[in-house]
Amino acid sequence: MKTIKKLAVAACVGASLISMNNETKMIPEVRAEVVKPSIVLPAGVTQGPTVEGITEYRLANGLRVVLFSDPSKPTATVNVTYLVGSRQENYGETGMAHLLEHLIFKGSKNFPAPTKEFTRRGFRMNGSTWFDRTNYYVSFSSTEDNLKWALAWSADAMRNSFIAKKDLDSEMSVVRNEYEMGENSPTSVMMKRMQSMIFDWHNYGKSTIGNKSDIENVRIENLQDFYHRYYRPDNAVLTVSGKFDIQKTLNWIAEDFGKIENPAETLPPEWTVEPTADGERSFEIRRKGESQLVAVAYRIPSALHADSPAVETAVDILSDDPNGRLYQNLVKTGLATKVFGSVMGTKQPGYVIFMAVVKKGEPIEPVRKALIETIETSLEKTPISSKELDRTKIEAENLYEVLFSDPEAFGVGLSEFIALGDWRLFFYGRDQIQKVTAKEAENAASKYFVRDNRVVGVFLPEDNPKRATIPASPTAEQLLVNYTPKQDSAEAETFDSSFANLDKRTIKFNVGDLKIALLPKKNRGETVTVMLKFDYGNLENLSGKETAMTLANAMLTYGTDKLSRGEIEDEMSKLKMTGSISNYVTTRSNLDASLNFVADLWKHSVYPENEFKDLKKKLTVMFESMKDKPDALSDDAMAQHFNTYPKGDPRHSPSLAEKIAALNALSDADVKAFAKEYFGTARGEIAIVGDFDAKKAEETIKKAFADNKSQVAFGKIYKEFKPVAATRITIDTPEKENAVLAGRAVFPIKDTDADAPALMIANWILGGGTGLSNRLIDRLRQKEGLSYGAGSGVKIPAEGNEGAFVFRAIVAPQNLLKAEASAKDVIETAVRDGFTDQEVAEAKKGFLQSQAVARAQDRVISASWIKKLELNRDWKFNKEMEDKINALTTAQVNAVLKKYIKPDQITYVLAGDLKKTKTEGQK
């Protein structure tokens, strides 16, 4: 189940990459029937198993193809999973699988510059490397041309990628920069060190990112050999998900991939087996930082082993927040501010890790003792209750359903199960979790969570060891031989996300001061996305109330007059509410109950004092941990420099020190008083998109929210432009392995101004484009290899007129000054010489296609409607903006760039180890 949680998070992150400041509409639902045509198999293609609407095919060269057709969104995803990861790396080659992932995007024989084409087409793309697999995916508007191009590129990349020395020379420092990012994180460092202590011989003991010296010195010949050995049809699985024609797609796949030959060399065998652990191990990490961590890990069987579901269930029961036993024994008692547990579900025997975050200066030993005792003895002393087991299964079921309902995220996330041996293991694992008994989970914990299989401390000799023998792994075929899959799930409608249809399909109405937009449509899994924003307070009465408001909002789910925090979490799980109470996904049958539940929380939350103390401590530790982080300090310095409103004004940006001081001064009584006076649900905006009964939802909203009124006056709050002189700020962060370069300039503009469309396109070319192709990323990453991530953005408000241009790059401290010089040169050159006709034409197309992809997401549609309701707009505004963008000329874009982006008015902040940058700090 932890594997599923990882995939569900990935799905949410993927959705969050798309943001729009726009909105949506509703009409009575339409339940579309999808008729699946019969498929004529191309020559050399055979059909394999089908599970719940997903079908596997196999080419003569051994390539497996998984097709998941879902026409509900006008997007498609092509994902290629190679069954090779850091597990296959040899001595001196750690990190090579990940480095190769970067080089694949540098081009191939027939596609020499794929990242530029990604941007031109508005593609979202990425790759990832893990222990057992590497995958590459692109998501895009589902036109035949886009799909054919994506398949052709993926096929060419399989055997014809350049893997050139010149690309390695620049990309090596980019990957090293990524490595250095991890070195700044105490949790990341702890995870890497823990891996190395758990395994003596197996490559799971080496982090996927690799060793720094291996990254810096790997030979191009080694990378080329690794590529040619493992990137081949019989070691890969191609997944296509989303909206596409199955027959045409299968024909194109056969044409592009069927002609690829496997190398004569067979895949090398593996024979390393880790010996049974023979005693507790411990280690210490001593680095600069602002928070403490205590971690405990145990080796466990493969994710394919029969004990795996029981192990994962035991881990969930122990580590759940806030209902888990570790949370109750460590966080509720004040020993730790946070606890979590995670299973590394791997093809060969893996491990589980538990971790606790402890406030700096507080004793560690009591935490270590409580952590170990809870993990190793609590399930034996207090057997698992039916409530605990049911909660875990409900959460697992919800996560599986959410992931399976999103074809884009599912198409990419399936790589994790492909890596285990077969994509059908997604469904097999889902079903097995529901069969786990309390006794099986307890037995799994007692078998593997034992002293001599534990890693937390030093090695201890022992005459009577308590060892945990790790069993061999079965094959996927053995597990699936008698597996009977469920029937196909309900199909979704083919939804038209055009501006006109979004307006046409949306039902809008007001209930007093509450504005509502409802868009019913048939979704896979009958999912519904709900967003609620309630308005209260104004510029005067919110003065000095920011901290109380923040905690009052955060504590809405921490307890009511009838329910505890844990019971509220349980109720959200029962109602299949994934997300927060202001932004969540549920199902058709649970929508009305979930709305009533949210309304009840707003009316009857009691803000318990004990929960307030826990939250206050947690936030204090979080803010204190930021005091030595380059990114946090850079953000803080930039915000303070552009602070044009006085302390106490709701528009004021508090510093880290001010946030900590405000938290220390805040009491539970302050939070309760704020909520009683300010909170209400009778004014604001509600948007619901998905599979639901609109009439019934309307009735529920009127009864649940309209009578709960705030006691204070309301008024909109927004920022007006005030000029701020440019400067250069440097911040010393000693011994930090990563640095941040940031830039910002402000200017007056609104999204209704004539210059707004041109400024969006100018920024897209300069540093805002998707993929790895815009002027800033081309220079800092592609050409010079200075930064793992660099880009720019523009803030163009709908209300107020404080616009801004922002820039950010993550670099190594020794490259900070060079990155600053390069970024400035890119910006100055663009302003001086302008953009070309080709750049502008490609930017307009890529920008608008990325917006079209965003409009296919229910979360984006609902969030957009929230903003539109607030501004009294509809999707016509977006259509007009699109028309203006299409009509833009190169001269107009260049003129607007010169007007707003003035190099001498940009403030730069450099945060890093100044000893490595060889410069003195300036303020």
Side-chain angles (χ1 to χ4, degrees):
M1 189 167 68
K2 288 296 182 180
T3 300
I4 293 302
K5 289 189 175 181
K6 179 168 65 177
L7 298 183
V9 169
C12 293
V13 171
S16 71
L17 292 175
I18 310 168
S19 62
M20 295 174 61
N21 228 2
N22 303 329
E23 312 114 70
T24 314
K25 202 172 181 182
M26 298 212 131
I27 189 174
E29 62 185 355
V30 177
R31 294 181 175 272
E33 293 294 333
V34 178
V35 180
K36 295 184 178 179
S38 59
I39 302 301
V40 178
L41 295 177
V45 177
T46 57
Q47 183 171 331
T50 296
V51 178
E52 298 191 25
I54 304 172
T55 302
E56 177 183 327
Y57 301 88
R58 189 180 291 263
L59 274 58
N61 56 16
L63 179 72
R64 284 180 284 167
V65 179
V66 179
L67 299 186
F68 178 25
S69 178
D70 184 337
S72 61
K73 300 175 183 178
T75 58
T77 297
V78 172
N79 179 47
V80 180
T81 307
Y82 294 95
L83 303 180
V84 58
S86 59
R87 192 184 83 223
Q88 281 84 3
E89 294 166 346
N90 292 319
Y91 182 79
E93 296 179 344
T94 61
M96 189 163 67
H98 174 246
L99 185 54
L100 181 58
E101 171 208 321
H102 281 242
L103 294 187
I104 292 296
F105 289 108
K106 291 294 187 177
S108 56
K109 178 181 177 181
N110 298 306
F111 296 84
T115 57
K116 292 185 180 296
E117 191 68 8
F118 295 154
T119 299
R120 188 183 73 81
R121 292 173 177 267
F123 278 27
R124 286 202 314 276
M125 48 67 65
N126 210 339
S128 67
T129 307
W130 197 229
F131 294 127
D132 302 315
R133 56 94 190 137
T134 308
N135 76 298
Y136 306 84
Y137 75 89
V138 287
S139 294
F140 45 85
S141 294
S142 57
T143 65
E144 288 191 358
D145 179 62
N146 279 344
L147 180 54
K148 289 178 68 177
W149 189 94
L151 291 170
W153 169 71
S154 299
D156 201 52
M158 182 176 287
R159 297 298 295 171
N160 295 327
S161 291
F162 296 138
I163 319 299
K165 181 67 164 62
K166 65 179 181 63
D167 293 329
L168 172 61
D169 290 341
S170 64
E171 203 67 16
M172 176 278 293
S173 54
V174 171
V175 174
R176 183 179 59 192
N177 184 214
E178 187 177 355
Y179 165 90
E180 289 158 346
M181 287 170 58
E183 289 297 290
N184 271 6
S185 166
T187 302
S188 175
V189 172
M190 172 67 81
M191 292 292 288
K192 287 193 286 188
R193 189 65 53 82
M194 181 65 80
Q195 286 175 238
S196 69
M197 296 294 292
I198 294 170
F199 299 100
D200 288 329
W201 309 107
H202 199 284
N203 264 7
Y204 287 167
K206 299 179 178 64
S207 171
T208 303
I209 192 66
N211 176 46
K212 188 175 183 179
S213 64
D214 288 354
I215 296 170
E216 293 173 332
N217 299 296
V218 64
R219 297 168 63 243
I220 189 62
E221 293 81 6
N222 292 56
L223 275 164
Q224 291 168 344
D225 289 346
F226 193 87
Y227 166 68
H228 290 300
R229 182 180 304 120
Y230 291 107
Y231 280 54
R232 48 197 289 166
D234 62 359
N235 197 45
V237 179
L238 169 66
T239 304
V240 182
S241 61
K243 183 179 181 181
F244 60 91
D245 183 289
I246 296 177
Q247 182 68 69
K248 291 181 179 179
T249 301
L250 202 54
N251 291 341
W252 295 331
I253 291 171
E255 179 181 352
D256 291 331
F257 289 87
K259 60 189 177 185
I260 302 176
E261 296 181 356
N262 290 301
E265 176 189 10
T266 59
L267 290 167
E270 300 174 57
W271 52 76
T272 300
V273 176
E274 190 76 16
T276 298
D278 56 2
E280 181 190 56
R281 301 182 182 189
S282 66
F283 62 92
E284 288 184 348
I285 301 171
R286 294 186 179 270
R287 292 194 180 196
K288 191 175 180 65
E290 293 296 325
S291 59
Q292 301 180 93
L293 301 173
V294 182
V296 180
Y298 305 86
R299 286 179 49 213
I300 58 173
S302 156
L304 297 170
H305 191 270
D307 284 348
S308 181
V311 171
E312 293 174 354
T313 299
V315 172
D316 269 2
I317 289 169
L318 289 167
S319 63
D320 182 70
D321 182 346
N323 293 301
R325 299 193 179 189
L326 288 171
Y327 187 94
Q328 298 299 319
N329 291 349
L330 279 82
V331 177
K332 298 294 288 184
T333 59
L335 289 174
T337 62
K338 181 179 181 181
V339 292
F340 64 88
S342 182
V343 174
M344 299 301 164
T346 45
K347 186 173 184 178
Q348 297 177 13
Y351 64 98
V352 57
I353 185 169
F354 300 90
M355 200 175 298
V357 181
V358 184
K359 182 177 172 56
K360 186 177 182 180
E362 293 189 352
I364 286 290
E365 185 55 30
V367 182
R368 177 187 181 278
K369 181 178 179 181
L371 196 61
I372 293 172
E373 287 182 354
T374 302
I375 296 167
E376 296 183 7
T377 68
S378 73
L379 300 185
E380 179 181 356
K381 292 178 178 178
T382 307
I384 296 170
S385 68
S386 59
K387 185 176 182 180
E388 288 176 311
L389 186 64
D390 290 344
R391 176 192 299 127
T392 298
K393 292 184 178 181
I394 289 171
E395 289 177 352
E397 182 181 26
N398 291 347
L399 289 169
Y400 273 106
E401 290 176 357
V402 168
L403 182 60
F404 190 41
S405 70
D406 186 338
E408 295 178 49
F410 181 75
V412 176
L414 210 56
S415 290
E416 303 296 337
F417 300 91
I418 291 169
L420 296 178
D422 197 303
W423 59 273
R424 292 173 291 170
L425 291 169
F426 171 88
F427 302 98
Y428 179 87
R430 176 196 63 191
D431 297 348
Q432 295 307 302
I433 282 289
Q434 298 303 316
K435 298 177 182 178
V436 173
T437 66
K439 190 64 176 178
E440 287 171 342
E442 292 159 5
N443 289 342
S446 66
K447 186 186 298 185
Y448 303 112
F449 302 167
V450 297
R451 182 191 60 196
D452 290 348
N453 192 38
R454 177 203 309 156
V455 180
V456 286
V458 296
F459 173 79
L460 296 175
E462 176 59 52
D463 293 333
N464 183 30
K466 298 178 180 180
R467 299 178 179 178
T469 302
I470 305 300
S473 306
T475 65
E477 289 76 11
Q478 290 171 327
L479 286 177
L480 296 167
V481 64
N482 294 318
Y483 173 55
T484 303
K486 292 183 178 181
Q487 298 299 312
D488 290 2
S489 58
E491 297 287 352
E493 70 169 285
T494 301
F495 184 72
D496 173 14
S497 59
S498 66
F499 300 122
N501 194 54
L502 288 171
D503 275 333
K504 179 182 178 182
R505 289 287 298 269
T506 302
I507 303 166
K508 292 193 297 181
F509 59 93
N510 292 355
V511 180
D513 293 321
L514 195 59
K515 302 175 181 179
I516 297 96
L518 307 179
L519 198 164
K521 63 189 185 74
K522 177 63 177 174
N523 276 356
R524 177 178 290 274
E526 297 187 333
T527 57
V528 190
T529 297
V530 182
M531 290 196 182
L532 313 94
K533 184 177 78 68
F534 301 116
D535 300 329
Y536 48 82
N538 59 30
L539 195 60
E540 290 74 29
N541 59 42
L542 284 174
S543 178
K545 302 288 187 180
E546 180 187 9
T547 306
M549 178 173 63
T550 299
L551 269 73
N553 273 285
M555 292 185 67
L556 280 167
T557 58
Y558 280 27
T560 68
D561 52 357
K562 295 180 180 179
L563 299 175
S564 68
R565 182 183 176 191
E567 289 169 335
I568 289 173
E569 289 291 326
D570 287 346
E571 187 64 21
M572 291 181 70
S573 292
K574 291 176 184 177
L575 295 174
K576 297 187 181 295
M577 296 172 65
T578 303
S580 69
I581 62 169
S582 62
N583 179 357
Y584 65 89
V585 176
T586 184
T587 60
R588 180 185 182 91
S589 61
N590 289 289
L591 174 61
D592 297 295
S594 73
L595 290 171
N596 284 318
F597 180 64
V598 170
D600 187 73
L601 292 176
W602 277 88
K603 291 178 183 178
H604 299 121
S605 287
V606 295
Y607 313 95
E609 185 175 4
N610 63 324
E611 295 288 358
F612 167 78
K613 290 180 179 178
D614 291 344
L615 178 60
K616 182 176 176 178
K617 185 175 182 180
K618 179 180 179 179
L619 291 175
T620 300
V621 171
M622 180 184 73
F623 289 138
E624 288 177 345
S625 71
M626 295 179 179
K627 293 192 292 187
D628 69 343
K629 294 180 178 179
D631 53 349
L633 294 176
S634 170
D635 292 343
D636 190 51
M638 191 71 80
Q640 298 317 301
H641 179 67
F642 284 92
N643 235 346
T644 57
Y645 294 98
K647 185 177 180 180
D649 189 301
R651 296 165 294 185
H652 173 78
S653 297
S655 66
L656 280 174
E658 289 173 338
K659 290 177 181 177
I660 294 171
L663 267 177
N664 289 333
L666 191 70
S667 69
D668 183 48
D670 296 329
V671 173
K672 291 177 178 177
F674 180 90
K676 181 178 180 181
E677 183 178 7
Y678 285 78
F679 279 176
T681 60
R683 179 190 296 274
E685 298 79 35
I686 298 176
I688 305 177
V689 179
D691 201 328
F692 66 100
D693 184 323
K695 186 64 178 178
K696 191 175 180 182
E698 178 179 347
E699 294 173 357
T700 300
I701 291 170
K702 289 178 179 178
K703 293 178 182 178
F705 297 100
D707 63 344
N708 184 14
K709 297 183 178 181
S710 170
Q711 299 178 27
V712 298
F714 168 72
K716 290 187 176 183
I717 299 173
Y718 45 80
K719 293 185 177 182
E720 297 292 350
F721 167 72
K722 296 181 182 180
V724 177
T727 189
R728 182 176 183 270
I729 303 170
T730 60
I731 303 170
D732 190 18
T733 59
E735 300 182 29
K736 290 296 181 180
E737 295 293 337
N738 207 42
V740 172
L741 169 66
R744 180 181 175 91
V746 293
F747 40 75
I749 194 172
K750 297 182 68 171
D751 65 1
T752 53
D753 291 349
D755 291 338
L759 186 57
M760 294 178 191
I761 297 304
N763 175 70
W764 184 268
I765 300 170
L766 187 60
T770 57
L772 294 177
S773 182
N774 57 60
R775 287 202 176 186
L776 283 167
I777 201 69
D778 281 348
R779 175 73 172 271
L780 271 69
R781 174 168 175 161
Q782 305 287 60
K783 181 179 179 181
E784 297 179 348
L786 298 174
S787 175
Y788 172 71
S792 66
V794 287
K795 172 193 171 187
I796 305 177
E799 295 180 300
N801 71 336
E802 186 190 73
F805 166 77
V806 295
F807 158 76
R808 186 182 182 90
I810 302 170
V811 300
Q814 58 268 30
N815 292 329
L816 188 55
L817 296 180
K818 186 176 181 181
E820 179 191 21
S822 294
K824 287 182 175 180
D825 183 60
V826 169
I827 296 170
E828 290 169 0
T829 300
V831 173
R832 181 183 66 247
D833 301 337
F835 303 125
T836 66
D837 290 339
Q838 182 179 354
E839 284 180 303
V840 172
E842 291 180 351
K844 291 194 295 183
K845 179 179 179 181
F847 178 83
L848 293 177
Q849 285 204 0
S850 72
Q851 296 289 290
V853 171
R855 288 199 307 277
Q857 313 301 317
D858 287 359
R859 285 186 179 274
V860 175
I861 295 173
S862 54
S864 297
W865 264 125
I866 291 291
K867 192 65 178 177
K868 293 187 188 302
L869 292 171
E870 181 182 3
L871 299 172
N872 295 315
R873 292 177 179 173
D874 56 24
W875 289 95
K876 294 184 183 68
F877 180 86
N878 302 79
K879 181 62 171 68
E880 292 168 359
M881 182 67 74
E882 182 176 277
D883 292 342
K884 292 174 184 177
I885 290 174
N886 276 321
L888 286 173
T889 66
T890 302
Q892 289 173 318
V893 174
N894 287 334
V896 166
L897 177 68
K898 289 179 180 289
K899 179 178 178 181
Y900 291 93
I901 313 299
K902 301 182 184 298
D904 62 349
Q905 294 182 11
I906 300 175
T907 288
Y908 285 92
V909 175
L910 293 78
D913 188 336
L914 296 184
K915 290 182 180 179
K916 296 178 180 177
T917 64
K918 298 182 180 180
T919 185
E920 295 183 1
Q922 301 175 24
K923 286 283 185 181

